[in-house]
Structures are given as structure tokens and as C-alpha cells.
Amino acid sequence: MIEAYELTKVFDDFLAVDRVSLSIPAGSVLALLGPNGAGKTTTVRMLTCILAPNSGRATVAGYDIIEQPERVRAQVGVLTEQHGLYERMKAVEYLDFFGRVYRLEAAERRRRALNLMERFGLTNALDKRLGEYSKGMKQKLALVRAMLHNPPVLLLDEPTSAMDPHSAKLVRDAIIELQRDERTFLITTHNLTEAQQLADKIAIIRSGRIIASGAFEELARQFVGDPVMELRTAAPFNGLVKDVSDLVTVESSGDDWIRYRTTDPYSINPALLRRVTGLGVDVVTLAPVSQTLEDVYLQVVKEDEGVPANGERGG
Amino acid sequence: MASAAVKTVNTGTIRPGVWAQFRWTMSNALIITRREVRDSFRDWRIIAPIVILTFLFPFLAQFVAGQFVNYVTGFGAELIGERTIPFLLMVVGFFPISISLVIALETFVGEKERRSLEPLLSTPLTNTELYIGKTLAAMIPPLVSSFGGMAVYMGSLVFGELGWRPQPMLIVQIVTLTTVQALVMVTGAVVVSSQTTSTRAANLLASFIIIPMTLLIQGESAIMFLAPDAESSTGIGALWAIILGMVVVVTLLLRVGNSIFNREELLGRTIDQLNLKSAVRRIWRHMRMVDATGRPARSLVEWYRGGVFASLGRVKTAAWITIAVFLLALAAGFALGQTPEWRLTLVATGSLSETATNLGQYMNISTQLGGFRFILWQNARILLAATLLAMFSFGVAALVLTPAVYVVLGYLFSQVLLSGVNPTFMFAGVLTHGIVEIPVIVIATAAALYLGAVVTKPPKGMTVGQAWTAALGDTIRIGIGVVLPGLVLAAAIEAYITPRVVLLALGGG
């Protein structure tokens, strides 16, 4: 649904986006992560045909961003970094205006607007002037605007940044639901938990370059190594590390726990359990230590900065 | 949430046929206009002056007109009183349209400042539709107020005590002037807005619009009082000329606005920072480069081959336009010389030999060196002035300043022919150095025209800033590579050789 190949954007002498390639199939979510000024918004603007790339090419919903900009924009719903509402208008007028711009029929724009406002809990605010909306309500209305014409592709810049937890969940649920309906999403966010939760694929951009890209599990394996397992015993047990050293390489340990990495948990974990119980030690838990996108992100950025990877990598 | 496909979506598709496309464009533009106008009418800061200027000010103006007519009539100066009435009509019309400048700045840069522009730019609307929509939105409320105010003023004068019976054409002229003035201000405001990111900066730059407009209004007022054809049924000639000039300005500003009002320009600029160092570096790079990759020339020959000739290729169209204008100027000068009131009484043939003697005496080295310097400086400064002025006039100044010489030449040529004098000496006096000088001036004028006009339609894929920087690089390259050496050569020929050739043509020696 979105195919970008070596998109590059230069502002005067500043290289904002440097040969960015992305591939987002229909019905999937890509989270574009990166520090402020990394080139996320510029990439989104190029995919929305607001900015023209200096080189490279891309298609969105099958349309070329250089040759068919109006067609691309018709297929895309955009939530911009700043919600940018017309504060003197009422929500109903605002959505009607955008519905007209997208040439929706009168009944259709009314129906879509009401459905979406209801979906995001804004029905009571339909006749309120937008200047009176709270920050979160404005963000939700901007999202409603982006979805109004039922676009197959949604480009969302920080979709839940100003929202309370309940509203943020509403938005995440909406994204998941739309994804099932074969909608394609590109989300830029600083909320790594949200990105991990929603995205099928992560791309990390820094200084205009994509420095890592793939599914979370792939990135985790690549940058923070194989999953770490933790074994906890019922009571402190001296010499455990030594007794299992031929099976696993213990990375860290305490009085009643050890952590190790394994590429083959299916054979190593049962063997380890057998060994430990054979030693008469009661096992409380054997579980993987969860890896977070934050770990991956920080490691990717650290490596890109030229800081040598620490010993945790690999396995 | 999953819903059925939406029935109609604006895909921005080109509609078959010019008329259908026009209707589609206008209907999209009017969606913007309606929203903006409605928004404007919700702002009391816009509503209040519009109401005052539409319904109160005309009555004040009508009262002033009545008082003034009575006052000057007491001194037997009825004419001044009569001419004050249309003058005040123009003022009544102008005051409301001055608001259009404020609305335009608010509509364009204000929206950019509030960041509400980007969602609009993400829709399928084309740049032209957005531009037309916003331009109309900035014009409609002030023009409605202006026309309303004028109607109220005229109504009170025509049906009131004064029983004013104006020349209908004068009213047409004032209404037309008001409309084109509003257009100039709005289109100018778009250009100003594009160069700024804040309304504060835009308001500062707006003085570039309001000051010339004020001066123009003063000029129009003087014309309305002093024009000998003020009572003519065809209107005042000078006002038609101003209207025509304004239409040209509006056309140019519309072109500039349409090229500037694009997504790239609007969102590419984030701060009002003058990066002189970067600009100079880009111009320098463009001056030296010999291919599209920006590779600098390694030798003078390569610079001429890949650089200067490439620049000359880019100003080719401008050069043809320049040649056409020069020929027109020559013809205009010649035609002017044919009119009896412009005819000169030329010296008798006998005096030409005296001229030849004087010319012979002039042929000494020191005077020739002085002549060389003078000619070089004279040509160079005219071309430099034309280039500088062209930058601020979309190239128009280049086509006004330099062709003036050709009007004079055409005129003189006609006088020589009319006097029965053999024109050979004139050809000798012009063409000897003109073989070099005329093409050089054509090229220099074309480069200046290109530099000024490039902002009205930047080459595809370039922003206005990039196009202008590149054009400046081309102009400097042509200036150094062609114009300067050409002017030196032409001045040398004119100082040292032309007088001798003229002398021969006059029969001296």
C-alpha cells in the first residue's frame, strides 16, 4: 500500500531525509520512531505530496506521489503534528467543510461525521466551537477529520500525544479495528509502548536515515540479542551457577535467581529444569524476561552514535 | 467502525474539457472561499470597520461633499466642488478595500502561523484551487463593503439635495479602479505572506504594498482634479492608463502568487532567517558549475562551454522578447518622428562638412580615452540599473529602461530621412560599434528580464528561492562572461573607430 524507495529531501543545505525506503503492505501498521528533527514529519509530508522529494520515488495506494499528487491525497487521511483546527467553527461545520473538500455527498458526510464523533465520544460536543475544546478533544477531532473520507491509508503523527489514557485507548482500538479492515497505517510516535502494541513493523529514523527496520522481534534479536530467561528458586542456593554452567551461560545471578540467554529454549529450558530439580532445588518460575521496544530503540540509537555495543548483544 | 466505501471522493482528476475543468476548479475554490468568508464575518475586528465604512462613512463623505461644494461655490470655484464629489467616491470605495490587505495577510500567513494550513494542504485540492479560494475570500468582504459604501454615497448624492449627475463612464472607472486596487493588494499580500512565517513580519512587509498604493491614490486624486478630459463621456484617459498598468501588475502578481502559493513553499519555510552565507555559497556554486550535478569548471574554456553557453540557452526566450521590444521601440520612435509637432529642423547639408571637421579635431588620444571610459560607464550603469530594477519589477523595468535608447534612435532616424539628409552617416555612427554593442545589450537585457521574471514561473521542481538564486547565478555568469567583455570591446570601437567611420561617411578624413 505504501512503497517508498530512497526518498531524499534537502532544504537548502540541510539533508532532512536521506534515501529512506519503506514498504507497508495493506492492512499493516508501521511505526516510524526517532528523535525530534530526525525526519519523520518530512517523510510523512513527502508521502502526502505536501513536499516533493529531491530524489527517490514512492507510491501510496497505488498512486505515484510525484505524478498523481491529488489522487494520493484523496486516498490518504493525515493527522498532522499540530491539529490545526479552525477555532471559530463548530465541529459539525468543520467536518462538513472537510467533507465538501473530499466531495462527499451531503448525507454521507453527515453520517460519517456523526458515526466518528460518536466513536470517539465527541457527540455532545458537535455544536461546540472548537476554541472551547480541550487539547485531547481537539486531537480526537483532528483524527475524525483524517478518517472522515474513509481513506485506505492513514498517516498519523503522534496520534495519542495529547490524550488521557481512556481516549488514547479509544484511538488504539480504532486503529486495530481499521487495520482489520485492511487499512494501512504509518504512525510516528514517541510512545514506544504504543508503537510496540500497534505496529507490525518498526522503522527507526535518525538524522534523516533509517537506521533499523523490521518486526519488533527481529529488531530485538538483532540489537539486544536472544531472549533472556530467568529462573527463580524457592530458596537461596549456593553453587547453582556452577552446576548449570555446562548447559547455559549465566549473564547475571542473585541468591535465588539466574538469568541466561538461549537460542533454543525448547531444548535448553526442559534440560535446565531437569538438572535443577535433580539437585533437589524447588523452582518457582522459569520465564522470559520481557524485552521492550525502549531497550531496542536505545540500543539502536546508541550503536548508530558509534558507541560500541555492550556485551549484552548477540547470543 | 469498518464501513462501506464512501460514495464520492475528490480525486482531483482533470475533468474533460476546459470549461468543465474551470467549473471543477472554481467549485473547489469556492468551498474554501465560503468557509473563509463565513469565518471573517465571525470576527468583530473585521465586521466593525466594514459596517462603519459601508453605512456610516458614505454619509459623512456625502456631508463633506455638500459642505465643500457650497463653500467653494461661494468663491466662484464650482469646478473644484464638482470634482470633489467623484474624488470622495473613490475614497469611499478605497477605505473598505484597504481591509482586504489585513484579511489577506490573516488568511494566508495567519493560517500558516496557527498551523491550520497543513490539514488543508493534505487534501486533494490543487494549489491553484487553494490560491483562488483564498484570494476570493480576502477580496469579497471588503469589495462588498466598498461597492455598498459607494452605492450609499452615490444614492445620497444622486437622489439628495445636490442632485449629482455623473458621467457614467467615470463611475465605471472608479469601480474598476477600486476592484483592481483590491486585487493588487490581495495578490501582493500573498507574495508578502509567502516570505514570512508570522503576521507580525507580514504586517511589516505590507508597507511595500500600502505605501505605493497610497502614492497611487494621491496621483489618481490629482488626475481627477486636473485632467482636462474629466468630463469626457469616455472617461479620463490617464485613469484608463492606470487601470491598464494595474491590470499588468495584477497579472504578474497573480502569476507570482500562483507559483509561490504551493505546498513546498508554504511548508518548506519555517523561520524568517536570512542565511546570506548560504545564499552566496549557492550563487557562487551555480556560477562555477558546468553541469546539472554542480561540478565546477576546471578551465576557462570549460566554463564558457558548459556554463556561460548553458546560461545563454536559458535566456533564449527572454532574448527573443527583448529583440521584439527593441524593434517595437525603434518603430515607435520612428512613428513619433512622423507627427508634425515632434519634427525637428535639421541643419542644412552644408553644415555637415563643418561637423566632419569638428569630428576630425576630436580624434585625439586623450579625448578618445575619456570617451571610451564615458561610453563604458554609461552603458554599464544603464544595464546595471536595468538589472537591479528588473529584480523588483518582475523584469518589466528591463524592458522599459534599455529600449528607451531605441525610441530615440528611431526618432532621430526619421528626422534624418524627413530632412532629406543621406542617412549613411547614421548607419555608420550606430552600426560600427552596434554590431557588438546591440547584441550585448540584448543579452544583458534578456538576462535581467529572465532574472526578474523567473519568480513568476519557476522551472519545474524548483522553489521560487532556488529558481531566483539559479537565475542570479546565470545573470552574473552572463555578465562576467559576455556582457562585460562585450561592453569593453563596443566602447573601444565606439571611441576609436566609429568617429573615423562617421567621418568617412560624412566625406571628411
Side-chain angles (χ1 to χ4, degrees):
Chain A
M1 198 50 99
I2 297 179
E3 293 291 338
Y5 178 72
E6 301 218 329
L7 284 180
T8 299
K9 183 68 193 173
V10 183
F11 293 113
D12 292 335
D13 296 331
F14 174 67
L15 182 61
V17 171
D18 185 9
R19 287 168 291 144
V20 162
S21 297
L22 298 169
S23 176
I24 317 174
S28 64
V29 178
L30 180 129
L32 187 60
L33 313 177
N36 293 329
K40 301 187 294 289
T41 301
T42 304
T43 304
V44 170
R45 283 177 176 174
M46 283 194 280
L47 293 173
T48 334
C49 314
I50 290 180
L51 297 176
N54 292 89
S55 63
R57 59 180 192 273
T59 57
V60 176
Y63 296 111
D64 188 286
I65 61 162
I66 311 280
E67 303 295 330
Q68 299 159 297
E70 281 87 27
R71 282 194 172 271
V72 168
R73 284 196 292 266
Q75 302 298 319
V76 168
V78 185
L79 176 70
T80 49
E81 199 177 2
Q82 314 272 337
H83 47 71
L85 306 177
Y86 299 118
E87 309 234 320
R88 280 197 285 264
M89 288 180 104
K90 292 174 182 172
V92 68
E93 294 168 342
Y94 183 74
L95 294 175
D96 187 66
F97 165 67
F98 274 94
R100 281 173 192 272
V101 167
Y102 284 102
R103 294 281 172 165
L104 304 182
E105 287 168 7
E108 185 69 24
R109 42 177 201 266
R110 178 98 188 141
R111 191 183 65 78
R112 293 273 313 156
L114 289 176
N115 281 350
L116 287 164
M117 290 291 275
E118 194 185 340
R119 178 75 178 82
F120 289 104
L122 292 171
T123 314
N124 291 338
L126 260 173
D127 284 319
K128 246 184 171 182
R129 297 229 182 269
L130 304 185
E132 297 167 30
Y133 271 42
S134 71
K135 214 171 166 187
M137 286 166 82
K138 284 178 180 171
Q139 180 91 346
K140 282 196 277 185
L141 184 69
L143 204 57
V144 168
R145 176 196 65 213
M147 295 175 173
L148 187 67
H149 58 297
N150 206 9
V153 177
L154 283 136
L155 307 176
L156 311 179
D157 206 341
E158 297 283 346
T160 59
S161 62
M163 291 182 189
D164 60 68
H166 177 69
S167 301
K169 184 162 182 333
L170 278 180
V171 171
R172 281 197 296 273
D173 289 348
I175 290 172
I176 291 165
E177 206 175 317
L178 282 166
Q179 193 190 355
R180 277 193 220 119
D181 199 27
E182 287 296 286
R183 298 292 187 270
T184 306
F185 287 84
L186 190 156
I187 298 172
T188 71
T189 182
H190 291 297
N191 185 338
L192 300 181
T193 314
E194 186 173 276
Q196 189 176 348
Q197 202 177 333
L198 291 174
D200 300 299
K201 205 172 162 187
I202 312 274
I204 300 174
I205 186 168
R206 189 164 181 270
S207 304
R209 276 184 312 114
I210 298 281
I211 53 175
S213 148
F216 168 69
E217 294 74 20
E218 290 167 25
L219 291 178
R221 192 166 300 122
Q222 188 184 346
F223 288 95
V224 294
D226 291 318
V228 175
M229 308 303 297
E230 185 183 84
L231 180 126
R232 282 191 175 271
T233 58
F237 185 87
N238 284 332
L240 180 63
V241 174
K242 200 175 141 202
D243 289 334
V244 299
S245 60
D246 59 321
L247 280 176
V248 293
T249 306
V250 174
E251 286 199 339
S252 54
S253 62
D255 286 344
D256 58 354
W257 61 271
I258 58 166
R259 281 185 179 182
Y260 61 93
R261 283 181 193 276
T262 178
T263 49
D264 186 12
Y266 288 95
S267 58
I268 294 293
N269 288 1
L272 183 71
L273 273 178
R274 278 195 299 274
R275 170 75 57 86
V276 175
T277 49
L279 291 167
V281 177
D282 292 332
V283 173
V284 178
T285 57
L286 174 59
V289 176
S290 67
Q291 290 171 320
T292 64
L293 183 54
E294 188 176 65
D295 301 328
V296 176
Y297 177 82
L298 293 174
Q299 185 61 27
V300 170
V301 171
K302 200 194 279 180
E303 285 194 20
D304 190 61
E305 278 170 349
V307 176
N310 60 28
E312 286 172 6
R313 189 183 166 182
Chain B
M1 182 95 123
S3 52
V6 174
K7 283 178 189 165
T8 314
V9 169
N10 185 355
T11 55
T13 317
I14 302 293
R15 264 63 193 162
V18 176
W19 176 240
Q21 180 59 44
F22 173 75
R23 278 179 56 191
W24 176 258
T25 301
M26 287 311 292
S27 108
N28 278 339
L30 288 174
I31 296 172
I32 305 289
T33 306
R34 269 194 295 271
R35 193 209 75 77
E36 304 260 350
V37 170
R38 193 187 282 185
D39 220 32
S40 291
F41 281 129
R42 280 186 175 143
D43 190 341
W44 70 268
R45 292 165 302 179
I46 293 172
I47 285 291
I50 283 180
V51 168
I52 292 168
L53 292 171
T54 308
F55 299 107
L56 299 181
F57 185 68
F59 286 109
L60 182 68
Q62 179 257 339
F63 172 75
V64 170
Q67 293 299 310
F68 192 72
V69 168
N70 290 339
Y71 178 73
V72 293
T73 305
F75 296 94
E78 291 88 347
L79 189 67
I80 297 174
E82 280 166 21
R83 293 196 179 177
T84 305
I85 299 173
F87 161 71
L88 283 173
L89 175 66
M90 190 175 72
V91 174
V92 166
F94 179 74
F95 278 9
I97 61 160
S98 62
I99 301 171
S100 65
L101 188 65
V102 180
I103 301 179
L105 292 175
E106 168 66 19
T107 303
F108 291 99
V109 78
E111 193 162 349
K112 196 156 68 168
E113 197 173 33
R114 286 190 301 275
R115 307 291 178 105
S116 53
L117 199 55
E118 194 170 349
L120 202 55
L121 299 182
S122 309
T123 66
L125 296 174
T126 63
N127 293 331
T128 304
E129 287 161 358
L130 286 167
Y131 178 62
I132 295 173
K134 283 183 163 285
T135 303
L136 287 176
M139 282 186 63
I140 288 173
L143 270 183
V144 166
S145 169
S146 173
F147 295 155
M150 286 198 281
V152 171
Y153 175 77
M154 279 203 298
S156 62
L157 285 173
V158 171
F159 302 110
E161 213 177 293
L162 276 173
W164 185 43
R165 296 289 175 268
Q167 279 291 346
M169 193 53 80
L170 186 61
I171 306 301
V172 171
Q173 280 193 311
I174 292 171
V175 171
T176 313
L177 262 177
T178 306
T179 312
V180 288
Q181 278 159 0
L183 256 172
V184 166
M185 285 198 281
V186 171
T187 50
V190 179
V191 177
V192 163
S193 298
S194 70
Q195 300 308 307
T196 61
T197 56
S198 68
T199 34
R200 186 177 64 94
N203 278 317
L204 287 171
L205 277 178
S207 55
F208 281 106
I209 302 166
I210 205 74
I211 292 171
M213 286 308 293
T214 314
L215 292 173
L216 185 73
I217 294 292
Q218 286 175 13
E220 287 167 7
S221 312
I223 289 168
M224 289 176 87
F225 275 102
L226 304 173
D229 54 350
E231 307 297 328
S232 164
S233 61
T234 55
I236 301 172
L239 287 187
W240 283 127
I242 290 175
I243 290 170
L244 187 68
M246 300 272 276
V247 168
V248 172
V249 173
V250 165
T251 311
L252 290 168
L253 283 171
L254 275 171
R255 274 189 67 131
V256 179
N258 200 22
S259 39
I260 281 175
F261 195 81
N262 65 66
R263 289 160 162 90
E264 186 84 27
E265 287 278 344
L266 291 169
L267 287 181
R269 182 185 289 271
T270 49
I271 43 168
D272 300 329
Q273 189 187 327
L274 180 64
N275 192 343
L276 213 55
K277 208 169 150 186
S278 163
V280 169
R281 207 166 39 226
R282 269 183 288 138
I283 293 165
W284 174 241
R285 193 171 57 212
H286 193 87
M287 270 175 60
R288 295 191 317 159
M289 74 183 204
V290 287
D291 60 26
T293 63
R295 186 172 62 80
R298 281 175 294 222
S299 67
L300 192 65
V301 175
E302 194 187 8
W303 184 66
Y304 264 97
R305 201 176 286 163
V308 176
F309 288 144
S311 296
L312 286 173
R314 279 189 280 274
V315 302
K316 203 162 59 185
T317 311
W320 285 115
I321 294 170
T322 306
I323 290 169
V325 171
F326 281 8
L327 289 174
L328 275 174
L330 202 65
F334 191 86
L336 187 72
Q338 304 294 310
T339 50
E341 63 266 33
W342 281 89
R343 244 179 232 178
L344 290 177
T345 314
L346 281 192
V347 289
T349 318
S351 302
L352 286 176
S353 55
E354 196 182 314
T355 310
T357 313
N358 289 338
L359 200 60
Q361 285 166 355
Y362 166 79
M363 302 279 161
N364 62 73
I365 296 302
S366 62
T367 348
Q368 280 173 338
L369 189 60
F372 167 76
R373 282 186 194 141
F374 174 76
I375 293 162
L376 181 62
W377 171 234
Q378 182 71 6
N379 285 339
R381 73 178 171 174
I382 286 175
L383 292 177
L384 195 65
T387 307
L388 289 174
L389 290 172
M391 287 184 199
F392 300 100
S393 61
F394 311 116
V396 173
L399 293 180
V400 173
L401 209 60
T402 39
V405 180
Y406 295 89
V407 177
V408 176
L409 267 179
Y411 172 72
L412 289 177
F413 187 61
S414 73
Q415 299 311 295
V416 169
L417 285 183
L418 284 171
S419 309
V421 177
N422 185 347
T424 315
F425 82 95
M426 231 190 129
F427 286 120
V430 174
L431 293 181
T432 308
H433 60 276
I435 284 173
V436 177
E437 193 182 80
I438 293 170
V440 166
I441 290 175
V442 166
I443 289 169
T445 308
L449 172 63
Y450 177 70
L451 177 63
V454 77
V455 294
T456 66
K457 200 173 190 298
K460 208 178 171 190
M462 276 189 178
T463 64
V464 171
Q466 287 165 343
W468 192 81
T469 311
L472 186 59
D474 280 328
T475 306
I476 297 173
R477 193 150 62 177
I478 290 171
I480 295 170
V482 179
V483 178
L484 200 59
L487 286 181
V488 170
L489 181 63
I493 297 171
E494 192 171 351
Y496 298 104
I497 301 171
T498 302
R500 291 183 194 284
V501 178
V502 173
L503 198 61
L504 283 172
L506 288 172

